[in-house]
Amino acid sequence: MTDQYVLDLRQVDETQVAVVGGKGAHLGGLSRIEGVRVPDGFCVTTDAFRRIMAEAPSIDDQLDRLACVAPDDREGIRTLSARVRRTIEETAVPGDLAAAITGAHARLGERAACAVRSSATAEDLPTASFAGQQDTYMNVVGPRAVLEHVSRCWASLFTERAVTYRLRNGIDHRTVHMAVVVQRMVLPRAAGVLFTADPVTGNRKVATVDAGFGLGEALVSGLVNPDVFTVRDGEVVTRSIATKRRAVHAVPTGGTREVALDPGRRTEPALTDAQAVRLVRLGRRIEAHFGGPQDVEWCLDDDGFQIVQSRPITTLFPIPGSGSGDQENRVYVSVGHQQMMTDPMRPLGLSVWQLTAMAPMHEAGGRLFVDVTQRLASPASRAALLDVMGRGDPLVRDALETVLSHDGFVPALPEMAPAARTAGGPPPGGAPAPIETDPAIVTELVERSRTSVAALERDIRTKSGPALFDFLLEAFEEHKRVLGDPLNIQAIMAGIQATWWLNDKLLEWLGEKNAADTLTLSAPGNVTSEMGLALLDVADVIRPWPQVVAFLEGAEGLLGDGFLDELPKLPGGAEARAAIEDYLDRYGMRCVGEIDITRPRWRERPAALVPVILDHVRNFAPGAAARRFEQGLRKAREKEREVLSRLRALPEGDRKAEETRRMIDRVRTFIGYREYPKYGIVSRYFVYKQALLAEAERLVRAGVLSEKEDAFYLTFEELRDVVRSHRVDDGLVRRRKDAFRSYHALTPPRVITSDGEALTGAYRREDVPAGALVGVPVSAGTVEGRARVVLDMAEADLEAGDILVTAFTDPSWSPLFVGITGLVTEVGGLMTHGAVIAREYGLPAVVGVERATRLIRDGQRIRVHGTDGYVEILP
C-alpha cells in the first residue's frame, strides 16, 4: 500500500517523523524489531492534514490570533483553541482522501475494530515527550466512525494543553503537523506500561512494569492502581499487587466501558513473574533499537505480548561518559553544584571549561561532572573526600554514602602503605602544606594573576585564524599553571581551614555555632564583596541627577546596550557614564553563570546592571558602601574581643585564647583571597571570548556561519576545524541548539552513577521544627522578612528588608546582597561564593534548600535561621 495520504505501518520507520509523526514513526520502527509484535495498521500522513488545513475556512486568521495569546491566558487559549478544533472537525474530508482512508481500513477487515491515535510531528521525540497532549480513541468500529475519529485526531493538535505547551516553548503552531495512526484493536487480558529505566531514580539497569486487567486505559486514567513489578538482571526483585476493583473492556458495537471485576480476581496479579521478566526482555530489545530508555505501552493477549507504543523517557538525566564504552561502575559528582551554576552550558562553554579545568570532567545534559570513583574506592582518599564534600555540601556527602551502601558498586581498594600514599603527593582531598600568616603572600598572588592576565591581553592581540587556536591552547596551560600554583592552593586552603578550625573549636569550647561568620565580616581583599559595594558607589554618583535617574527608570527593561552613549546628553550624564564605565573596567568580565564563556558579560550587556543600580539609588543613602564596610569591621573586632575574653575565663584559657587569636589573624589574612582565583578565571575567559567572537564574526562575513553566536554551539576543537576549513555542518548547529533548549527541562543531580541512578542526598536531621525547610547554615543570625523569589538577576525588584530566595548565586549576584537582609538558595555549601559573601556582609543565610523557589512563594513572610540551617514559612 503506497499513497500520498496513507502508508502501511510496515512501510514506515523512525526516520519518517515528518510524514507520519512521532508515534507513527516509532510504531513503524517497532514493527521492524525481531521478536516484537505490533498490531497491524496504517498511517494517515501529514500531507492529509495539510490538505485539510488548506481547505478549512478562515484557519489562517485563527492561527494568527492563537499565536498572539499569552501562555498564561487560559481563557483566551480555551476560546480560540476550541474554535480551531471546531473548524477542523467541521471541514469535510475530500472524496479521494476519504477513499484512501476507508480503503486502507477495509484491508484490516470491513468490521475490524480499530484504535485511532494522533501522531504529531513534534511528539515522542528524544528531547521532548508530548504524551497525552493529543487524542486517542479506542475500539472504533466501521469506516464512517474511523473517518470521524481521524478528523478528531487532526483537531486534537489544538487541545488547550498542546497549544499552551507550544506557546510556552516557543513552537510555531504552523510548524507542527498531525498524522493519524489506525491499528487493529487488541482485546487484551492485561495491559500496562513498561519503563526500561527506573523513572524515579533513573537507574538504567532497573525496569518497572505497571500492569492491570483489560485495556490500559484503566491505568492511564487512574481508575485503578496498577500491579508494579521491579525487574533487575533478569529477575523480579520487588512486586506490589494492587486490589483492582474495576477494568475497562471493549464494547462489541464500539467504544469502551468500565466493568467490575469478580471479587476473586481483584487481588490476583495481572502478570506472572515470568511474564514480567519476558516483557522486560522485549523492552531491552526496543531500548537497544531506539538507543535510549523507553516508556513502552503493551498488551497481553492469548498469543503473547503486543507493543502498541514506545516513546523516549525524556525526564532522565543523561549519564556522564556514557559514550566511552567503559563498563566499569562509576560515580560522578556535579561540578555545577560546586560552582553555583546548575544551568546548562553551551558546547563551547563546556569544552573551554574542560580544557582549563584542573581535573578531567565529563559532560551530560549540558552540565559537567567529575569522576570520583577511584577516590571512593581507596579508604584513605574516601575519608578525605567525604569530609571535604560534607563540609561543603552535606547533601553530596549523603548521596555518596548512599552509593557506598550499595554492596559492591564501588569496589574497595586495599589500604595503601604510607610510603605509597605519599609518593605522588598528598591523597586527593588531602590538605596542602601550611604557609605562614603573611598578607604579603596574598599581595604576591594577586600580582602574579594580574601580570599573567596582562600578558594574555597583550599577546593575543596579534593572533587570528588557526594560529589563535594554537595560542589559546598554550594560554589554557598557563591558565592551569596559575590555578595549580602550590602557593595559590595553600592560600585558599589556609582561609578555609582556619574557618573550619574556628567553627569547630569555638563550638567545642564556648558552645557557639558558626562563630567564624562574624569574625570574617569585612575581611580585606575580597574582590567579590568589593564588587558589590562598588555598585553602591556608582549609585551615589547617579542619585543627585534626577534626569539621569528618570531616564534609567523610564527605560528600565527597554534599554539597549548603547544606553551609555545616551547618558552624556543629560545633566549629570557624563559623570554617570564615567562611574559605570569605571565599574565595567574592573568588573565588566563578570555575569550570571560566568563559568560558561558563552554567557553575555556585563561589559557586553551593561543594561543588566541598571535594575540593581536603581534599587541602590532608592534604598540607600550616600556613603552606604563605606559605612557598611566599617560596620562589618567594627562587629568583627567586637566579636574577637568578646570571644578571646570568654576563652581566657576557661581552664587553659590563655592557651585557647592565643590559639584562637592566631587563627582569627589567619582567617582574616586569607579568607578574602578565596574569591580572587575565580576573578582571575573570568578575567581570562573574557579575553578568550573576545578573541573567539572576532573569529566568529569573520566566519559570518565569509558566509560560513549564519550568526556569530552559532560558534557557541561548537566545541573548541570543532570551531578550530571550521576556522581552518571554512565549512560547518549547519545541521549539527541546529541539533545542538535543540538539545540545549531541552537541557533546561532537566534537573542535574548532585551525584549520578554509571547506572544512571541520580541522587540528591538528604539531611537526615531531627532538630528542626515541623514543616521547616532544611538546608546548610552558612551565615549566622536569624532574620524575618518578605521573601523575594528571583530566578533572573535582571528581574530583581528588591526593597529594604527583603530576603532573597533563588536557585543559586555566583559572584555576579553580589551587588544584590547589599540590599537584602537574608539569603536562601537551592544550591550551595559552606565555602561556595554566595555563602562567603553572605558572611562578609553579615546576612543570615541558608543554602542547599531543596526546591526552595517552588516551596516559598514570592511575597510570603519567612524566617531564616542562618545559625541552625532552616527556613520557616510564616502564616
Side-chain angles (χ1 to χ4, degrees), residues 424-447:
I435 52 175
E436 293 297 316
T437 301
D438 183 356
I441 293 174
V442 173
T443 303
E444 179 186 347
L445 285 167
V446 169
E447 186 55 35

Side-chain angles (χ1 to χ4, degrees), residues 709-766:
E709 288 79 10
D710 284 354
F712 295 161
Y713 296 92
L714 301 170
T715 67
F716 180 85
E717 287 298 336
E718 288 167 346
L719 182 56
R720 184 185 196 181
D721 290 341
V722 171
V723 168
R724 284 173 174 163
S725 66
H726 271 221
R727 289 194 301 273
V728 68
D729 181 348
D730 291 328
L732 175 65
V733 171
R734 281 195 304 274
R735 291 191 298 275
R736 293 269 177 80
K737 289 180 178 180
D738 290 342
F740 178 70
R741 280 191 291 269
S742 74
Y743 292 155
H744 283 86
L746 298 174
T747 300
R750 283 175 165 80
V751 173
I752 188 169
T753 72
S754 51
D755 285 354
E757 183 178 7
L759 302 105
T760 56
Y763 286 109
R764 309 186 195 282
R765 287 175 56 185
E766 298 178 358

